């Protein structure tokens, strides 16, 4: 079972996917921590992992609160973005986002970040999911793919009728195109759960666009 919560101003999708025994994985806890906790309590679910598809602030803002509430849960992120959580993370975010004018927004909401306990390298598994490293939107963007259930949690790499922006620090248009080509070669029946916006399928995205392209940034393209 997959639950969706849409959090904070950038309308980030926080996904809760259930595991056996009343456990779950919380993907991209991007804010509205009380709302996420309320949903977990209502569903009587215990987070086994908090997964960060990439470390832009709208995908991690509720992590400090939730990690304190569930100290036994693993915190998983790609190694190239592990420095965006943990003790030095504010300085790293400040450095990255000063140039694009987001630093004050990040600092206004900042709480000390816990460190990663799990590094999500390409090909590893986390519960029923395989890790796919999909750089482009950010250096350490990952997706979680459950082949049996045909589920793909794509972060900000692929949206419905859109893709992630590449104009933030660490973004790379050519790498994003390569990552999209990789996704578009997958089974068309795969259900895609993106970091922003409604769900889609691989078939819908390949049929609607032909060759992958980078769409101009709008508010729905995330950060």
């Amino acid at each position: 079972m997959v639950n969706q919560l849409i959090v904070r101003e950038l309308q980030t999708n926080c996904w809760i996917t259930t595991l056996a025994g009343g456990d779950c994985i919380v993907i991209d806890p991007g804010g509205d921590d009380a709302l996420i906790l309320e949903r977990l309590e209502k569903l009587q679910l215990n987070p086994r992992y908090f997964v960060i598809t990439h470390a832009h602030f709208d995908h991690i803002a509720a992590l400090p609160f939730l990690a304190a509430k569930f100290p036994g849960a693993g915190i998983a992120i790609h190694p190239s973005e592990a420095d965006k959580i943990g003790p030095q993370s504010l300085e790293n975010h400040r450095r990255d986002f000063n140039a694009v004018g987001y630093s004050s927004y990040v600092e206004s909401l900042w709480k000390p970040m816990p460190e990663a306990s799990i590094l999500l390298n390409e090909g590893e598994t986390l519960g029923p999911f395989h890790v796919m490293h999909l750089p482009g939107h950010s250096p350490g963007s990952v997706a979680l793919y459950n082949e049996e259930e045909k589920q793909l949690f794509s972060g900000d790499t692929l949206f419905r009728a859109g893709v992630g922006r590449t104009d933030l620090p660490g973004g790379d248009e050519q790498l994003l195109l390569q990552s999209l080509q990789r996704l578009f070669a997958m089974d068309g029946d795969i259900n895609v759960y993106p970091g922003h916006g409604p769900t889609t399928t691989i078939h819908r995205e390949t049929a609607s666009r032909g060759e992958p392209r980078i769409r101009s940034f709008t508010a729905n393209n995330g950060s």
Side-chain angles (χ1 to χ4, degrees), residues 67-83:
K69 288 287 185 181
F70 301 97
I75 299 171
I77 194 170
H78 190 269
S80 67
E81 297 192 20
D83 65 345

Side-chain angles (χ1 to χ4, degrees), residues 5-222:
L5 295 95
I6 301 173
V7 299
R8 294 202 66 86
E9 296 89 343
L10 292 178
Q11 297 188 307
T12 302
N13 288 328
C14 172
W15 300 104
I16 301 171
T17 180
T18 56
L19 302 171
D23 287 350
C24 68
I25 300 175
V26 179
I27 302 171
D28 290 341
D32 291 333
D33 40 32
L35 176 66
I36 299 172
L37 179 61
E38 179 183 13
R39 181 67 60 88
L40 290 168
E41 291 176 340
K42 180 179 180 180
L43 297 170
Q44 297 182 313
L45 292 173
N46 182 62
R48 189 184 303 175
Y49 308 109
F50 296 111
V51 172
I52 310 302
T53 64
H54 64 290
H56 290 160
F57 191 68
D58 60 315
H59 292 254
I60 64 172
L63 182 59
F65 174 86
L66 293 170
K69 288 287 185 181
F70 301 97
I75 299 171
I77 194 170
H78 190 269
S80 67
E81 297 192 20
D83 65 345
K84 299 302 194 309
I85 58 177
Q88 302 302 314
S89 51
L90 177 56
E91 288 302 315
N92 292 326
H93 281 277
R94 184 184 288 132
R95 179 198 65 224
D96 282 353
F97 290 105
N98 260 338
V100 289
Y102 288 173
S103 180
S104 60
Y105 172 75
V106 170
E107 291 188 42
S108 70
L109 299 171
W110 190 264
K111 295 177 183 177
M113 286 284 166
E115 290 188 271
S117 57
I118 300 169
L119 298 180
L120 297 175
N121 289 295
E122 167 71 30
E124 294 183 355
T125 58
L126 196 71
F129 293 97
H130 293 277
V131 176
M132 300 178 68
H133 180 211
L134 299 172
H137 176 64
S138 72
S141 287
V142 298
L144 295 184
Y145 174 46
N146 184 332
E147 184 176 7
E148 183 175 348
E149 298 294 331
K150 294 190 175 182
Q151 296 172 335
L152 179 78
F153 292 89
S154 62
D156 284 5
T157 298
L158 178 65
F159 305 131
R160 183 168 178 166
V163 300
R165 63 191 293 182
T166 57
D167 61 333
L168 294 175
D172 186 307
E173 182 172 326
Q174 289 306 309
L175 287 178
L176 180 58
L177 287 169
Q178 293 172 24
S179 293
L180 292 170
Q181 291 282 15
R182 185 180 176 193
L183 293 180
F184 291 170
M186 297 175 73
D187 187 342
D189 292 336
I190 292 170
N191 295 302
V192 178
Y193 301 86
H196 300 267
T199 59
T200 186
T201 65
I202 295 294
H203 173 74
R204 185 188 188 282
E205 297 314 304
T206 55
S208 67
R209 74 181 66 219
E211 289 298 311
R213 61 188 184 277
I214 305 299
R215 213 176 65 165
S216 298
F217 172 72
T218 68
N220 291 331
N221 284 78

